[in-house]
Amino acid sequence: MFIGLKRVAASLTLGGYDASRFVASNLTFGLADDNSRDLVVGVQSISVVGLSKELLPTPILAFIDATVPHIWLPVEACRVFEETFGISWDPSSDLYLVNETTHEALLAQNANLSFRIGANTITSDFIEIVLPYASFDLQVLDTYPNITNSTRYFPLRRAANDTQYTLGRRLLQETYLIADYERSTFSVNQCRFVENNDPDIRPIFPANATNSTTGAPPFDQDRKHDSSDLSPGIIAAIAVGSSVFLAILVGISTLLRRRRSKGKTPNSDHLDQTSMAPEPSESTIEQELHADPIVPAELDGIGLGPREMEDSVAATEMSAVEGERHELHG
């Protein structure tokens, strides 16, 4: 994924932020109580840079949402966009489609839009996020409902009410957002696109840490942190947790070893080797039985009385030569 005009790779940092990717705004917002719409900011104005044209007649509260690509504004604001940029709303697709003539005119104009954002709609503390026209130059495919041919469109949507006011990925494409949910704060910063720059990863420490001021910007923005910032309590907790985990692994290994040794018999090695062999077929069983040596058997007791032949007795044939005596070995 790439963002920005210079095709700079997107950045995601868990548990901190990359200070090299943005211009710090030194402005922090509080999370809203509604968890489904927590990143809410006050959009005080939307204007064209270099012109005195205001595109947002009335300030609004809008939700920053990375799951939608568009910017949802009141219908009154959308009509001002129509007049300013010559775009037209298509009722069937509910999109602002842009033909080639309008597209060439917008490229020549190359307007930059400035979003003034604050914690609410009236505060004097705000940040301005500038979006170039290239951020709005998009294409919709013919797989989109009620779109027969792929065409260009302007990612602006008409909101039915104030619950739909949303700043989607078009704004986030040029914005670095930092959220600190433990402190219930977040910040919005203008992206800085520098190719092949070195990352500057800064951690956001827990609120109960010794240096609890090392949270998200503007807290201690210019300070680089290392492992020495960890408090003794945190280091001790990590050491204890590691020891307990190691002890559990050793216990499990010992238990498995005892079970294996307990279950073995004197012929266990032979059993283990044959347990994986396929079961013999009927013909195999018969061949094994026929191949056995002579099995000791008891003679029938009719007339001779009971006698048991020993294993060492072998069948002997008497010679047919006359006059030669033979004695049976017994």
Side-chain angles (χ1 to χ4, degrees):
M1 177 180 177
F2 295 88
I3 57 178
L5 298 181
K6 292 188 176 182
R7 308 285 292 176
V8 178
S11 174
L12 173 63
T13 305
L14 302 179
Y17 56 92
D18 187 352
S20 69
R21 305 300 296 267
F22 63 92
V23 179
S25 64
N26 295 323
L27 186 62
T28 303
F29 308 106
L31 294 174
D33 295 332
D34 186 358
N35 291 333
S36 62
R37 292 176 63 87
D38 49 2
L39 302 174
V40 176
V41 296
V43 184
Q44 299 180 358
S45 71
I46 303 175
S47 59
V48 180
V49 177
L51 300 177
S52 58
K53 184 70 173 180
E54 177 61 47
L55 304 176
L56 185 66
T58 305
I60 62 172
L61 293 175
F63 172 49
I64 299 178
D65 188 0
T67 65
V68 297
H70 312 112
I71 294 177
W72 293 72
L73 296 178
V75 176
E76 295 77 12
C78 292
R79 288 173 179 161
V80 178
F81 271 81
E82 296 173 15
E83 297 172 359
T84 304
F85 298 107
I87 57 179
S88 58
W89 179 62
D90 177 36
S92 60
S93 63
D94 196 23
L95 295 176
Y96 278 94
L97 303 181
V98 178
N99 56 40
E100 288 301 321
T101 302
T102 304
H103 177 247
E104 293 297 332
L106 291 174
L107 286 178
Q109 185 180 359
N110 194 24
N112 291 332
L113 272 63
S114 174
F115 287 70
R116 179 179 295 183
I117 297 174
N120 51 54
T121 59
I122 59 175
T123 181
S124 58
D125 296 328
F126 59 84
I127 177 179
E128 290 193 8
I129 302 295
V130 178
L131 278 69
Y133 170 70
S135 298
F136 300 93
D137 186 10
L138 302 177
Q139 278 196 337
V140 59
L141 302 179
D142 53 8
T143 55
Y144 193 87
N146 298 321
I147 295 294
T148 56
N149 297 309
S150 299
T151 185
R152 300 182 186 277
Y153 82 104
F154 196 92
L156 177 67
R157 300 293 294 274
R158 293 183 173 188
N161 51 59
D162 57 0
T163 63
Q164 291 185 339
Y165 297 162
T166 305
L167 302 178
R169 292 195 296 272
R170 291 309 97 200
L171 177 78
L172 291 176
Q173 182 171 314
E174 306 291 332
T175 303
Y176 197 96
L177 178 66
I178 303 174
D180 185 350
Y181 282 89
E182 185 176 11
R183 296 177 177 82
S184 296
T185 60
F186 69 98
S187 64
V188 180
N189 309 273
Q190 180 79 54
C191 273
R192 180 169 55 193
F193 299 110
V194 180
E195 295 180 353
N196 302 322
N197 70 320
D198 295 327
D200 184 8
I201 305 300
R202 313 282 182 90
I204 298 178
F205 289 98
N208 58 357
T210 302
N211 50 350
S212 58
T213 58
T214 57
F219 303 119
D220 204 11
Q221 169 65 25
D222 296 327
R223 179 185 173 191
K224 292 187 177 180
H225 309 284
D226 52 32
S227 58
S228 62
D229 290 327
L230 294 177
S231 65
I234 294 177
I235 296 175
I238 294 174
V240 172
S242 301
S243 301
V244 171
F245 181 70
L246 181 60
I248 292 174
L249 289 181
V250 172
I252 293 175
S253 176
T254 304
L255 180 61
L256 292 176
R257 192 176 304 166
R258 286 180 179 177
R259 286 186 177 180
R260 285 183 180 177
S261 59
K262 184 178 179 181
K264 283 190 176 183
T265 64
N267 296 324
S268 60
D269 291 339
H270 173 70
L271 294 175
D272 290 343
Q273 293 172 6
T274 59
S275 61
M276 297 302 295
E279 294 185 4
S281 63
E282 239 176 79
S283 59
T284 306
I285 295 175
E286 292 178 358
Q287 291 172 5
E288 289 179 356
L289 290 175
H290 294 168
D292 285 342
I294 299 174
V295 180
E298 235 178 72
L299 294 175
D300 191 64
I302 300 175
L304 295 178
R307 181 181 179 184
E308 185 175 340
M309 296 181 66
E310 294 180 3
D311 290 346
S312 59
V313 177
T316 306
E317 188 177 344
M318 297 181 65
S319 175
V321 179
E322 193 175 331
E324 188 176 353
R325 294 181 182 181
H326 294 274
E327 185 177 345
L328 292 173
H329 298 282

